[in-house]
Amino acid sequence: LGLAASATETSGWKVDAVAFSISVEGDEEIKAIAVFEDFTASREATFSFAMMRPGIGMTKGLIDAALKLAFHQRALNLDRVWIQTAADNIPALVAVTKLGAQFEYRKRGAIRRKVAGVDILKDGIFFSMVNPKFIAPAARASDEDERT
């Protein structure tokens, strides 16, 4: 969790935090860190994600790997994850949106970063993503009028 805290620039984790390192098959270098914390009785958790090397962008494959852990019945078996990113982190906002996460809300001063020893507060954008097994198929219209 110490490595994850450094990578995600967090000031600390909740007591229930679980971290996963993610690498690419055939390469033992850790590419990314995924952290899930703040688990609820309704099988939800907050999801944080960070690349290990600055300047290396997130890829859909790396984030998908973390989400598979979140939703797989033999891993975390969650029904929903909450994703927070800084409002000024455009690449992260685009990546999260491309994954199918739904915008929920913006919170002023939600993210604390240390810059030259000074705490800076940034706005956070919150998204949620539901386990794909809970997405209902599109309803089909009936040819017949079912009213009686």
Side-chain angles (χ1 to χ4, degrees), residues 3-17:
L3 179 62
S6 173
T8 59
E9 300 177 347
T10 187
S11 57
W13 300 110
K14 305 267 183 183
V15 71
D16 65 350

Side-chain angles (χ1 to χ4, degrees), residues 16-91:
D16 65 350
V18 176
F20 295 95
S21 61
I22 303 170
S23 60
V24 177
E25 189 173 348
D27 183 359
E28 294 193 19
E29 179 185 9
I30 296 172
K31 302 291 184 194
I33 296 286
V35 179
F36 298 90
E37 66 177 333
D38 209 12
F39 291 86
T40 68
S42 57
R43 297 187 358 197
E44 298 180 1
T46 302
F47 169 51
S48 300
F49 187 87
M51 299 304 295
M52 291 307 299
R53 283 196 282 153
I56 304 296
M58 293 182 200
T59 66
K60 186 176 184 309
L62 291 173
I63 300 171
D64 276 344
L67 291 172
K68 283 181 183 174
L69 288 168
F71 296 133
H72 196 282
Q73 66 185 5
R74 291 188 179 168
L76 297 176
N77 198 25
L78 297 172
D79 294 337
R80 177 187 302 266
V81 294
W82 291 91
I83 305 166
Q84 173 186 311
T85 188
D88 62 353
N89 188 344
I90 304 304

Side-chain angles (χ1 to χ4, degrees), residues 73-125:
Q73 66 185 5
R74 291 188 179 168
L76 297 176
N77 198 25
L78 297 172
D79 294 337
R80 177 187 302 266
V81 294
W82 291 91
I83 305 166
Q84 173 186 311
T85 188
D88 62 353
N89 188 344
I90 304 304
L93 293 169
V94 170
V96 169
T97 304
K98 281 184 178 180
L99 287 169
Q102 299 297 309
F103 170 82
E104 296 290 343
Y105 60 94
R106 179 184 192 123
K107 185 175 180 182
R108 305 251 183 244
I111 298 175
R112 180 179 307 233
R113 299 279 192 245
K114 278 215 182 284
V115 178
V118 177
D119 280 342
I120 304 291
L121 295 178
K122 293 184 171 190
D123 290 358
I125 304 294

